Amino acid sequence: VANPERQTRARNAGRGHGRPTLATVAAAAGVTAMTVSRFLRGGDGVAPATAARIGAALSSTGYTPNKHAGMLASGRSNIVAAIVPSIANSNFSITLQGLSHTLQHAGMELLLASTDYSLAREEQQLRAVLGWSPSGLVVTGCRHAPAARALMLKAQANGMPVLEMWDHNPRDKQFVQVGFSHAAVGRAMAQHLLQRGHRDLGYIDSGVAQDFRARQRANGFAAAARAAGVSCRLIVAPPIEAMAAGRAAFTALAQAGLPRALAFASDNLAAGALLCARGIGVQIPAQLALLGFGDQPVAAQLGLSTVGVAPYQIGAICGQRLLRMLAEGGARPGAIAADETQPSLSPPTLLQRDSS
Amino acid sequence: VANPERQTRARNAGRGHGRPTLATVAAAAGVTAMTVSRFLRGGDGVAPATAARIGAALSSTGYTPNKHAGMLASGRSNIVAAIVPSIANSNFSITLQGLSHTLQHAGMELLLASTDYSLAREEQQLRAVLGWSPSGLVVTGCRHAPAARALMLKAQANGMPVLEMWDHNPRDKQFVQVGFSHAAVGRAMAQHLLQRGHRDLGYIDSGVAQDFRARQRANGFAAAARAAGVSCRLIVAPPIEAMAAGRAAFTALAQAGLPRALAFASDNLAAGALLCARGIGVQIPAQLALLGFGDQPVAAQLGLSTVGVAPYQIGAICGQRLLRMLAEGGARPGAIAADETQPSLSPPTLLQRDSS
DNA sequence: TTGAAAGCGCTAACAG
DNA sequence: CTGTTAGCGCTTTCAA
């Protein structure tokens, strides 16, 4: 070849992203890239005079580190991937805020995906986020498509902390779980109403067909009612905005004849029903007891009894656990078991207010 | 050196992340990595027989592409970074859901950061996410720390689409804006109440000290009242949960003497006040008119007049614009101007209900 | 305390 | 249609 240099330049046309690199900074500081890299990662073993020159070069070039390159070389990404059914659902958005706050303190980034309550989409999103080699993975719930579960297990086997949040299933603890049993909450809700002496119960479930956890609460509620020998009607709310759905479900039920006490899959459903009931002059709790789920602000305002579930804490604890697992060197099965100790999630609390 | 091969292996101890790579798949399929790469990126120009072997190799190895390596080589990351003041705020979480849905369709990932309404933290988060060379950037609002603005401009100059959402400032259009003027909304809110004949106004502002956009609405409201020669009291709600804050602010105001009409920085503030007012027997709207902001579900349930602002649409439009800018080849200033055409955001709408 | 060499896993460019 | 070569920007390892 006549002119290899020229050919190389031609071959590399289109390469490079225009931003300054470590080499740019290094040239400006009169050192090699390696020294700049050391400086950036804490400055251990860099002479003060050199450090000063590097600092100057850094700001004069406006250098921004390329974290992809760093990841590729080091194998550590400092990305945590979180997968939730819906970002718009306030339970999950508050949880994400808790997770984000905790991760920010540790210099980790949050990669977010949502599934619209579909297991197929969850698997898809899982594949997508795993491509970024996250340092940790947080998924929602304990139910996953078989392939998704396999991916999670493989990731965990490779040392990636994998957490399941918003559910708790003692019979299937392959991953760290930060959540609570929805069936138990459903039972507790029924028990509360039974203790208040109500013998004719109703439950209005979420209209989101794929919301397993809501279904588990409904089932737990129904089972407890059945066990007490009490009648329990189960109604599924229409798949529209929750407050409007609560109103609609209540209206339908009122025409069929109201039970003595009604529990709901969410506070918003309950709030819609409560406002509707007040509107038509139903006395609460004298004629009808109401019980929500989630302890949203609206529940406190309406005097609605509910179940508090600490969504922010779920996210924050996921973050803390994840960081600790990372610090303790990966997610080997032994480490996971040890991790069960603390920090732990406050259990759901039944908050009795004026509606029951 | 006696045995260079051996030395190389020693040097590379600890390298490699244990996962199968393109080379692994290629070996299994009896081709080179390049052919597998072609197959994965659409399969153009790969013989059917080869494609079949690669497909088999792909699933037998359980290959997951390393997107960092892909990014590094191609310069395209398919990551969109979004920075919001608060993930827990339902306006922003719904916007993020809209953005996420739109980006998912295009195979892009969402990297999320929150600032707690602090410009300093915004700058920090901006630096952090820029290290991942996102394909696009979505920030909240038009106010930024000078250094943050400089980073955004530099990124845009390098061809990265940069969008500002949830605000609109015609005098400062350095970036694509997907939002509305909060001052104009504040004025419109005042005008609505003035048109209903109220001559004694009050405004209850958010207790979040750094929420500039809420402040702009308050200022617009006050300015319109002043221009009409009407008295207007401005109250700042306490920095607690919004519904409780609305109740507290209303209680304080009721003791000092209620105005004829009250507007609020958010529906939740207004809802708290409305429920409190109903509780103490204030007739709405006969004695007191109420006007919220945001068109949250609770507003419809309470018959609260409000301003609809389409948070999902804001996110979806950001996503669409961003994808289009990317398709049209970068964010050159000219392209931005052209982008102003469509899709466009529905302007805020005053929704009159029973409270005014 | 600093540097040199090598390579992380992938894709662009060119060659055949 | 497939392969070869080089290199993206960084960090690891070893050498000085």
Side-chain angles (χ1 to χ4, degrees), chain B residues 190 194 197-202 221-233:
Chain B
L194 291 167
H198 308 308
R199 313 295 295 170
D200 178 18
L201 307 184
F221 187 93
R226 213 180 309 120
V230 161
S231 77
C232 174
R233 272 176 286 170

Side-chain angles (χ1 to χ4, degrees), chain A residues 85-327:
Chain A
S86 159
I87 308 170
N89 180 310
S90 83
N91 280 329
F92 298 124
S93 68
I94 292 172
T95 295
L96 289 172
Q97 182 70 79
L99 184 61
S100 169
H101 278 155
T102 310
L103 296 178
Q104 264 178 44
H105 282 295
M108 313 217 89
E109 250 70 60
L110 183 63
L111 191 66
L112 181 61
S114 70
T115 69
D116 293 319
Y117 294 91
S118 147
L119 292 190
R121 189 120 51 181
E122 181 186 61
E123 180 186 333
Q124 214 175 298
Q125 299 287 47
L126 197 55
R127 283 184 202 287
V129 299
L130 285 179
W132 294 110
S133 309
S135 294
L137 176 65
V138 180
V139 302
T140 307
C142 303
R143 262 179 88 159
H144 313 283
R149 175 175 296 274
L151 287 171
M152 288 163 58
L153 283 169
K154 203 176 70 174
Q156 183 169 252
N158 280 336
M160 183 191 305
V162 178
L163 316 215
E164 294 176 323
M165 63 177 180
W166 273 100
D167 203 350
H168 187 80
N169 184 349
R171 285 173 308 184
D172 173 32
K173 305 200 72 161
Q174 299 183 286
F175 310 103
V176 171
Q177 299 175 346
V178 179
F180 51 87
S181 159
H182 288 255
V185 165
R187 287 193 296 273
M189 289 171 74
Q191 257 131 32
H192 171 73
L193 296 175
L194 291 168
Q195 276 166 13
R196 312 290 303 165
H198 307 310
R199 313 295 298 169
D200 177 17
L201 307 184
Y203 189 95
I204 299 190
D205 198 1
S206 157
V208 179
Q210 300 290 348
D211 190 341
F212 303 124
R213 287 169 294 283
R215 211 93 323 124
Q216 285 166 356
R217 295 196 297 277
N219 293 342
F221 187 92
R226 213 179 310 120
V230 161
S231 78
C232 175
R233 275 176 283 172
L234 239 101
I235 295 101
V236 175
I240 55 175
E241 187 279 314
M243 283 201 180
R247 180 179 288 274
F250 178 84
T251 306
L253 196 58
Q255 290 182 339
L258 286 172
R260 181 63 192 75
L262 257 180
F264 296 82
S266 76
D267 279 345
N268 280 343
L269 281 171
L274 187 151
L275 289 168
C276 187
R278 278 192 190 165
I280 62 174
V282 175
Q283 294 299 311
I284 292 170
Q287 289 177 262
L288 175 66
L290 256 31
L291 177 60
F293 170 83
D295 193 23
Q296 307 269 3
V298 73
Q301 293 304 312
L302 296 174
L304 176 70
S305 296
T306 187
V307 182
V309 293
Y312 186 91
Q313 204 195 13
I314 291 180
I317 288 183
C318 281
Q320 289 160 20
R321 284 249 178 126
L322 214 152
L323 293 173
R324 198 148 60 89
M325 288 165 81
L326 246 20

Side-chain angles (χ1 to χ4, degrees), chain B residues 8 11-12 17 21-22 34 37 63 66 69 73 76:
Chain B
T8 293
R11 188 168 274 175
N12 293 332
H17 312 150
T21 72
L22 270 191
M34 201 52 237
S37 173
Y63 172 73
N66 184 328
R76 272 168 274 114

Side-chain angles (χ1 to χ4, degrees), chain B residues 270-281:
Chain B
L274 187 150
L275 289 168
C276 186
R278 277 192 191 164
I280 61 174

